Amino acid sequence: IRWVDCHSRVPDALTSTFNLTGTEIGELPPTLFCGEMEVPMDYSKPFDAAGNRITVGFAMNRPKKAAGLIAYHAGGPGDDAVSQAWENALNLSSTFVGLEEFDFLALNTRGIQFSNPLNLSTGFFEDVSFPFPTTEAEFTSYQTAMKNFLSAAIKDSTPPGIMKHVGTVEYVQDLDAIRSALGYEKISIAALSYGSFVGLEYAARYPHRVDRMVLDAVFAHGMPFQAMVSSQLAASNRLVHRADAFCQSDPTCPFYGHGNGSVVQAWKTLLSRATQSPLAAPSCGPGTSCKAPVTATDLRQGATLLFIDTPDFPLFNIALNASLHGDASLFAYRPDIDIRETVGTPLLCNDMKVDENLKTFAGFHNLTVNARSEDPLDIVYSDVGQLILQCTVWPFPASVPEWKTLSTDMEFMWVTSDFDPNLATEFATFAWELTPRSTLVVRHGDDHTSLPIPPPAVTAGDIARNYLRTGLMPKPRSDTAASIFGAGGMGRSVAGAYDVPTGAVAGDVSS
């Protein structure tokens, strides 16, 4: 490990959020440490400082006498983890409050800031003007654009060959190398979203190295792609009903007082109109960041994006009402917030082996066709479907020979929420049932991930933090805030959309 001056390692996320640079920060807390380590680019070959070497970077919050080591993965894939260590040291976050006595390690995954960032500057969206393909011609156009994007990224990123060595298999080896260099025999893991996929990979590869583990919002190893798409579409349908439930207690909602189902009916009416003819979007078009008019395809993705991560039900309801009255601008396609031209593509595609049949339009289209029973509101668009589509043209073999389930007999904790709009709660149930000694904590509410939600909605986060702190697994129970399902459980049902509170306590926001 090389320890470096943190003033030269300010995370981009903090720079943009707080408008800070290294020269403006001033004195930093003595607990904040920044480091880097040289590791093999390709672990299957001997380390070679000239030809098989990259540098990965991390930050730590370190008390004088640590009770243990907690490693943090921010998910994404490709989200910045290092900024969380800074936030811990600067007291800017409640995500890991109460765990200050632990060494806190935040390693950025390969391909992003401080860890050999990839060059992803090509113009993918110059060739694609729609959010997802609905015809074979669009499917072909999409694949061609993705091939061009990946080819440019492979050519422009250094060292040569790095693009096929940025997956989970490499990350867990990087993490274990740092654990060893820090002198720890065991490590605890706290991982969000796609970090759950990485965390279980580490536990399966190094079971004797894991102390405690919390995996919050689950991307499940080996879950059939069809089940993943179907579950995510079911989640999106649930979120429309949650928007309706929110409206019933929100006097500012345009459909307030219209009774249960008014928002759901408004969605059906609007989608029917968009299917017949594109919707006007006066604020969008040439010279703007959004596309006009708004097609049914745009509407489906636009609605889903208002639910992603932290659901904004008030804005969704306002967008519905405005669209019904002639202005669908809030649902318009915005390429700048699309997930395609990001580091997520190489990170995911190194992990996900896509079957040959899904590389055809018919096979890809069937993912949504076969999910119709889970998609009565005809939303069609799913992030998982789009991620699969990106990987249909990945030019390298996946880092694992097949898409398979992983299990472990260690005791640890999964965390999910009833109405996670990103990674449906069914993903967590699938993973929990394959790990016989694991406990499942279900937060009754919305939002993607539970640990970062600030008070008052911290019950599930508190349960997880307490386990990380003490190593004591909570007993099964259920209340209005959360339910805990013990090891070896099976067959959990999802709560009804109108049976769980809405608002800040449930993880909702309003812009």
Side-chain angles (χ1 to χ4, degrees):
I1 290 176
R2 288 192 300 270
W3 299 108
V4 298
D5 183 356
C6 286
H7 288 89
S8 66
R9 294 291 192 277
V10 184
D12 288 339
L14 288 186
T15 301
S16 59
T17 301
F18 300 102
N19 195 27
L20 295 175
T21 66
T23 58
E24 296 172 340
I25 290 177
E27 186 176 357
L28 291 170
T31 59
L32 180 64
F33 290 77
C34 297
E36 59 187 24
M37 174 180 275
E38 292 182 351
V39 294
M41 179 179 75
D42 180 357
Y43 274 96
S44 70
K45 299 177 181 178
F47 177 82
D48 180 346
N52 188 33
R53 173 187 65 85
I54 64 169
T55 302
V56 295
F58 60 93
M60 296 184 70
N61 190 40
R62 309 193 75 181
K64 287 186 177 180
K65 186 176 182 181
L69 176 64
I70 296 176
Y72 169 69
H73 193 295
D79 283 352
D80 166 57
V82 164
S83 59
Q84 185 64 57
W86 281 68
E87 291 179 21
N88 290 1
L90 296 169
N91 295 318
L92 297 175
S93 170
S94 61
T95 302
F96 291 96
V97 66
L99 295 166
E100 293 83 2
E101 70 270 27
F102 289 85
D103 272 347
F104 182 89
L105 167 66
L107 166 67
N108 272 358
T109 189
R110 294 178 176 201
I112 66 172
Q113 189 184 21
F114 310 132
S115 292
N116 204 103
L118 303 179
N119 187 338
L120 305 172
S121 58
T122 187
F124 175 87
F125 300 109
E126 294 175 2
D127 301 319
V128 174
S129 60
F130 50 85
F132 66 97
T134 58
T135 67
E136 187 155 8
E138 288 180 343
F139 181 81
T140 301
S141 174
Y142 190 112
Q143 285 190 318
T144 299
M146 183 54 65
K147 285 180 182 177
N148 293 338
F149 164 62
L150 292 173
S151 295
I154 291 167
K155 177 176 66 70
D156 295 339
S157 296
T158 55
I162 184 60
M163 284 282 283
K164 58 182 177 181
H165 296 293
V166 293
T168 291
V169 169
E170 287 84 9
Y171 175 89
V172 299
Q173 293 176 94
D174 294 342
L175 177 61
D176 199 60
I178 294 173
R179 172 207 57 77
S180 177
L182 289 170
Y184 278 95
E185 287 297 317
K186 287 197 170 188
I187 190 171
S188 292
I189 296 173
L192 308 181
S193 191
Y194 196 76
S196 65
F197 185 91
V198 180
L200 189 60
E201 178 74 33
Y202 186 93
R205 184 178 288 261
Y206 306 111
H208 56 296
R209 299 296 189 197
V210 179
D211 187 4
R212 305 157 195 174
M213 186 163 69
V214 169
L215 305 180
D216 178 10
V218 182
F219 194 94
H221 281 267
M223 188 176 187
F225 290 151
Q226 180 62 67
M228 296 176 82
V229 170
S230 297
S231 297
Q232 198 168 52
L233 288 173
S236 294
N237 277 253
R238 291 193 287 263
L239 267 290
V240 177
H241 286 273
R242 288 291 285 167
D244 186 63
F246 189 101
C247 185
Q248 308 316 309
S249 59
D250 175 19
T252 68
C253 175
F255 309 100
Y256 179 72
H258 295 190
N260 282 6
S262 56
V263 171
V264 178
Q265 185 55 52
W267 166 258
K268 292 179 179 178
T269 299
L270 186 61
L271 182 58
S272 177
R273 289 184 188 177
T275 302
Q276 296 170 20
S277 179
L279 306 172
S283 299
C284 301
T288 72
S289 63
C290 51
K291 178 188 169 189
V294 174
T295 68
T297 300
D298 300 330
L299 179 64
R300 289 174 167 115
Q301 190 210 36
T304 304
L305 291 181
L306 290 178
F307 297 145
I308 289 297
D309 289 331
T310 311
D312 194 335
F313 296 133
L315 186 59
F316 175 77
N317 292 334
I318 289 169
L320 268 183
N321 186 61
S323 300
L324 290 170
H325 289 86
D327 186 357
S329 300
L330 290 172
F331 284 129
Y333 174 51
R334 288 171 166 78
D336 61 313
I337 59 173
D338 200 293
I339 63 175
R340 294 175 292 188
E341 195 176 27
T342 69
V343 70
T345 302
L347 295 181
L348 278 160
C349 297
N350 268 307
D351 289 341
M352 296 173 62
K353 180 175 173 58
V354 177
D355 294 338
E356 291 300 316
N357 71 300
L358 293 177
K359 298 180 181 180
T360 67
F361 175 69
F364 173 76
H365 182 63
N366 281 339
L367 286 172
T368 52
V369 171
N370 294 336
R372 282 177 176 165
S373 63
E374 304 296 331
D375 190 23
L377 297 182
D378 200 24
I379 291 177
V380 178
Y381 173 84
S382 73
D383 272 356
V384 171
Q386 191 175 82
L387 296 173
I388 292 169
L389 180 55
Q390 293 174 58
C391 297
T392 61
V393 295
W394 182 245
F396 308 113
S399 58
V400 291
E402 59 180 326
W403 180 247
K404 62 180 181 180
T405 58
L406 281 184
S407 184
T408 175
D409 62 358
M410 70 172 288
E411 179 185 83
F412 69 99
M413 180 182 291
W414 299 103
V415 182
T416 186
S417 64
D418 289 309
F419 306 106
D420 186 335
N422 283 32
L423 298 176
T425 191
E426 289 92 337
F427 290 25
T429 300
F430 177 87
W432 169 57
E433 291 178 350
L434 289 171
T435 47
R437 295 189 63 213
S438 67
T439 292
L440 177 66
V441 177
V442 181
R443 177 172 55 80
H444 299 317
D446 310 300
D447 206 339
H448 177 58
T449 72
S450 297
L451 279 169
I453 298 177
V458 295
T459 301
D462 286 342
I463 292 170
R465 283 184 286 270
N466 187 62
Y467 165 63
L468 284 171
R469 183 173 56 253
T470 67
L472 300 175
M473 191 64 73
K475 301 296 183 183
R477 66 174 176 83
S478 185
D479 56 37
T480 57
S483 294
I484 301 174
F485 298 87
M490 297 283 288
R492 180 182 67 87
S493 61
V494 181
Y498 300 90
D499 300 332
V500 171
T502 58
V505 69
D508 305 333
V509 299
S510 173
S511 59

